[in-house]
PDB file of all heavy atoms in Angstrom:
ATOM      1  N   LEU A  45     -30.298   9.016  18.119  1.00 98.00           N
ATOM      2  CA  LEU A  45     -28.880   8.673  18.024  1.00 98.00           C
ATOM      3  C   LEU A  45     -28.634   7.509  17.078  1.00 98.00           C
ATOM      4  O   LEU A  45     -27.788   7.571  16.179  1.00 98.00           O
ATOM      5  CB  LEU A  45     -28.341   8.325  19.429  1.00 98.00           C
ATOM      6  CG  LEU A  45     -26.960   7.659  19.486  1.00 98.00           C
ATOM      7  CD1 LEU A  45     -25.877   8.630  19.043  1.00 98.00           C
ATOM      8  CD2 LEU A  45     -26.663   7.151  20.892  1.00 98.00           C
ATOM      9  N   LYS A  58     -21.963  10.765  18.445  1.00 98.00           N
ATOM     10  CA  LYS A  58     -21.361   9.585  19.081  1.00 98.00           C
ATOM     11  C   LYS A  58     -22.208   9.005  20.201  1.00 98.00           C
ATOM     12  O   LYS A  58     -22.905   9.728  20.906  1.00 98.00           O
ATOM     13  CB  LYS A  58     -19.998   9.960  19.673  1.00 98.00           C
ATOM     14  CG  LYS A  58     -19.032  10.599  18.689  1.00 98.00           C
ATOM     15  CD  LYS A  58     -18.679   9.688  17.541  1.00 98.00           C
ATOM     16  CE  LYS A  58     -17.637  10.329  16.634  1.00 98.00           C
ATOM     17  NZ  LYS A  58     -17.499   9.604  15.371  1.00 98.00           N
ATOM     18  N   TYR A  59     -22.045   7.715  20.403  1.00 98.00           N
ATOM     19  CA  TYR A  59     -22.613   7.039  21.568  1.00 98.00           C
ATOM     20  C   TYR A  59     -21.553   6.979  22.668  1.00 98.00           C
ATOM     21  O   TYR A  59     -20.412   6.590  22.405  1.00 98.00           O
ATOM     22  CB  TYR A  59     -23.029   5.609  21.200  1.00 98.00           C
ATOM     23  CG  TYR A  59     -23.323   4.732  22.404  1.00 98.00           C
ATOM     24  CD1 TYR A  59     -24.536   4.839  23.080  1.00 98.00           C
ATOM     25  CD2 TYR A  59     -22.376   3.832  22.876  1.00 98.00           C
ATOM     26  CE1 TYR A  59     -24.798   4.051  24.201  1.00 98.00           C
ATOM     27  CE2 TYR A  59     -22.636   3.032  23.990  1.00 98.00           C
ATOM     28  CZ  TYR A  59     -23.844   3.156  24.653  1.00 98.00           C
ATOM     29  OH  TYR A  59     -24.102   2.384  25.758  1.00 98.00           O
ATOM     30  N   GLY A  60     -21.965   7.336  23.879  1.00 98.00           N
ATOM     31  CA  GLY A  60     -21.025   7.196  24.992  1.00 98.00           C
ATOM     32  C   GLY A  60     -21.656   6.527  26.197  1.00 98.00           C
ATOM     33  O   GLY A  60     -20.997   5.814  26.940  1.00 98.00           O
ATOM     34  N   CYS A  61     -22.960   6.768  26.424  1.00 98.00           N
ATOM     35  CA  CYS A  61     -23.566   6.253  27.651  1.00 98.00           C
ATOM     36  C   CYS A  61     -25.017   5.815  27.467  1.00 98.00           C
ATOM     37  O   CYS A  61     -25.512   4.983  28.201  1.00 98.00           O
ATOM     38  CB  CYS A  61     -23.501   7.309  28.752  1.00 98.00           C
ATOM     39  SG  CYS A  61     -24.612   8.698  28.454  1.00 98.00           S
ATOM     40  N   GLY A  62     -25.725   6.419  26.517  1.00 98.00           N
ATOM     41  CA  GLY A  62     -27.123   6.061  26.290  1.00 98.00           C
ATOM     42  C   GLY A  62     -28.065   6.505  27.395  1.00 98.00           C
ATOM     43  O   GLY A  62     -29.237   6.132  27.394  1.00 98.00           O
ATOM     44  N   MET A  63     -27.572   7.294  28.334  1.00 98.00           N
ATOM     45  CA  MET A  63     -28.400   7.689  29.484  1.00 98.00           C
ATOM     46  C   MET A  63     -28.405   9.189  29.741  1.00 98.00           C
ATOM     47  O   MET A  63     -28.775   9.625  30.826  1.00 98.00           O
ATOM     48  CB  MET A  63     -27.869   7.007  30.751  1.00 98.00           C
ATOM     49  CG  MET A  63     -28.348   5.585  30.930  1.00 98.00           C
ATOM     50  SD  MET A  63     -27.669   4.876  32.457  1.00 98.00           S
ATOM     51  CE  MET A  63     -28.585   5.771  33.714  1.00 98.00           C
ATOM     52  N   GLY A  64     -27.944   9.960  28.793  1.00 98.00           N
ATOM     53  CA  GLY A  64     -27.915  11.398  29.017  1.00 98.00           C
ATOM     54  C   GLY A  64     -26.836  11.849  29.982  1.00 98.00           C
ATOM     55  O   GLY A  64     -26.935  12.910  30.583  1.00 98.00           O
ATOM     56  N   LEU A  65     -25.775  11.057  30.114  1.00 98.00           N
ATOM     57  CA  LEU A  65     -24.738  11.362  31.110  1.00 98.00           C
ATOM     58  C   LEU A  65     -23.450  11.913  30.511  1.00 98.00           C
ATOM     59  O   LEU A  65     -22.615  12.429  31.243  1.00 98.00           O
ATOM     60  CB  LEU A  65     -24.388  10.095  31.902  1.00 98.00           C
ATOM     61  CG  LEU A  65     -25.524   9.421  32.677  1.00 98.00           C
ATOM     62  CD1 LEU A  65     -25.103   8.029  33.118  1.00 98.00           C
ATOM     63  CD2 LEU A  65     -25.916  10.266  33.873  1.00 98.00           C
ATOM     64  N   CYS A  66     -23.255  11.775  29.204  1.00 98.00           N
ATOM     65  CA  CYS A  66     -21.936  12.123  28.659  1.00 98.00           C
ATOM     66  C   CYS A  66     -21.950  13.214  27.594  1.00 98.00           C
ATOM     67  O   CYS A  66     -20.921  13.827  27.330  1.00 98.00           O
ATOM     68  CB  CYS A  66     -21.245  10.882  28.094  1.00 98.00           C
ATOM     69  SG  CYS A  66     -21.870  10.350  26.488  1.00 98.00           S
ATOM     70  N   GLY A  67     -23.070  13.428  26.942  1.00 98.00           N
ATOM     71  CA  GLY A  67     -23.164  14.508  25.971  1.00 98.00           C
ATOM     72  C   GLY A  67     -22.554  14.230  24.606  1.00 98.00           C
ATOM     73  O   GLY A  67     -22.632  15.069  23.706  1.00 98.00           O
ATOM     74  N   ALA A  68     -21.957  13.054  24.417  1.00 98.00           N
ATOM     75  CA  ALA A  68     -21.279  12.765  23.142  1.00 98.00           C
ATOM     76  C   ALA A  68     -22.263  12.738  21.970  1.00 98.00           C
ATOM     77  O   ALA A  68     -21.872  12.907  20.823  1.00 98.00           O
ATOM     78  CB  ALA A  68     -20.547  11.428  23.229  1.00 98.00           C
ATOM     79  N   CYS A  69     -23.542  12.529  22.269  1.00 98.00           N
ATOM     80  CA  CYS A  69     -24.553  12.343  21.237  1.00 98.00           C
ATOM     81  C   CYS A  69     -25.320  13.635  20.929  1.00 98.00           C
ATOM     82  O   CYS A  69     -26.353  13.587  20.272  1.00 98.00           O
ATOM     83  CB  CYS A  69     -25.540  11.277  21.704  1.00 98.00           C
ATOM     84  SG  CYS A  69     -26.439  11.823  23.174  1.00 98.00           S
ATOM     85  N   THR A  70     -24.810  14.766  21.415  1.00 98.00           N
ATOM     86  CA  THR A  70     -25.591  16.012  21.312  1.00 98.00           C
ATOM     87  C   THR A  70     -25.808  16.464  19.862  1.00 98.00           C
ATOM     88  O   THR A  70     -24.873  16.498  19.063  1.00 98.00           O
ATOM     89  CB  THR A  70     -24.903  17.137  22.105  1.00 98.00           C
ATOM     90  OG1 THR A  70     -24.710  16.690  23.446  1.00 98.00           O
ATOM     91  CG2 THR A  70     -25.747  18.413  22.090  1.00 98.00           C
ATOM     92  N   GLN A  79     -29.667  15.747  23.841  1.00 98.00           N
ATOM     93  CA  GLN A  79     -28.893  14.514  23.798  1.00 98.00           C
ATOM     94  C   GLN A  79     -29.691  13.497  22.984  1.00 98.00           C
ATOM     95  O   GLN A  79     -30.790  13.084  23.397  1.00 98.00           O
ATOM     96  CB  GLN A  79     -28.615  14.049  25.224  1.00 98.00           C
ATOM     97  CG  GLN A  79     -27.677  15.049  25.904  1.00 98.00           C
ATOM     98  CD  GLN A  79     -27.508  14.830  27.384  1.00 98.00           C
ATOM     99  OE1 GLN A  79     -28.414  14.380  28.065  1.00 98.00           O
ATOM    100  NE2 GLN A  79     -26.336  15.166  27.884  1.00 98.00           N
ATOM    101  N   SER A  80     -29.171  13.124  21.847  1.00 98.00           N
ATOM    102  CA  SER A  80     -29.968  12.351  20.897  1.00 98.00           C
ATOM    103  C   SER A  80     -30.204  10.918  21.363  1.00 98.00           C
ATOM    104  O   SER A  80     -31.016  10.214  20.781  1.00 98.00           O
ATOM    105  CB  SER A  80     -29.310  12.352  19.512  1.00 98.00           C
ATOM    106  OG  SER A  80     -28.073  11.670  19.546  1.00 98.00           O
ATOM    107  N   CYS A  81     -29.523  10.492  22.427  1.00 98.00           N
ATOM    108  CA  CYS A  81     -29.828   9.158  22.956  1.00 98.00           C
ATOM    109  C   CYS A  81     -31.135   9.189  23.744  1.00 98.00           C
ATOM    110  O   CYS A  81     -31.697   8.149  24.052  1.00 98.00           O
ATOM    111  CB  CYS A  81     -28.682   8.633  23.827  1.00 98.00           C
ATOM    112  SG  CYS A  81     -28.412   9.538  25.360  1.00 98.00           S
ATOM    113  N   LEU A  82     -31.598  10.409  24.103  1.00 98.00           N
ATOM    114  CA  LEU A  82     -32.806  10.532  24.917  1.00 98.00           C
ATOM    115  C   LEU A  82     -34.010  11.021  24.108  1.00 98.00           C
ATOM    116  O   LEU A  82     -35.094  11.195  24.665  1.00 98.00           O
ATOM    117  CB  LEU A  82     -32.559  11.493  26.087  1.00 98.00           C
ATOM    118  CG  LEU A  82     -31.466  11.114  27.087  1.00 98.00           C
ATOM    119  CD1 LEU A  82     -31.366  12.154  28.187  1.00 98.00           C
ATOM    120  CD2 LEU A  82     -31.726   9.730  27.676  1.00 98.00           C
ATOM    121  N   GLY A 151     -22.322  18.721  31.295  1.00 98.00           N
ATOM    122  CA  GLY A 151     -22.819  17.402  30.880  1.00 98.00           C
ATOM    123  C   GLY A 151     -22.014  16.743  29.776  1.00 98.00           C
ATOM    124  O   GLY A 151     -22.415  15.695  29.269  1.00 98.00           O
TER     125      GLY A 151
HETATM  126  S1  FES C 816     -24.797   8.916  24.644  1.00 53.76           S
HETATM  127 FE1  FES C 816     -26.295  10.411  24.947  1.00 53.76          FE
HETATM  128  S2  FES C 816     -25.593  11.510  26.639  1.00 53.76           S
HETATM  129 FE2  FES C 816     -24.173   9.885  26.468  1.00 53.76          FE
END
Side-chain angles (χ1 to χ4, degrees):
Chain A
L45 168 68
K58 306 298 184 193
Y59 167 79
C61 71
M63 278 180 71
L65 301 166
C66 77
C69 64
T70 305
Q79 293 170 328
S80 66
C81 67
L82 299 181

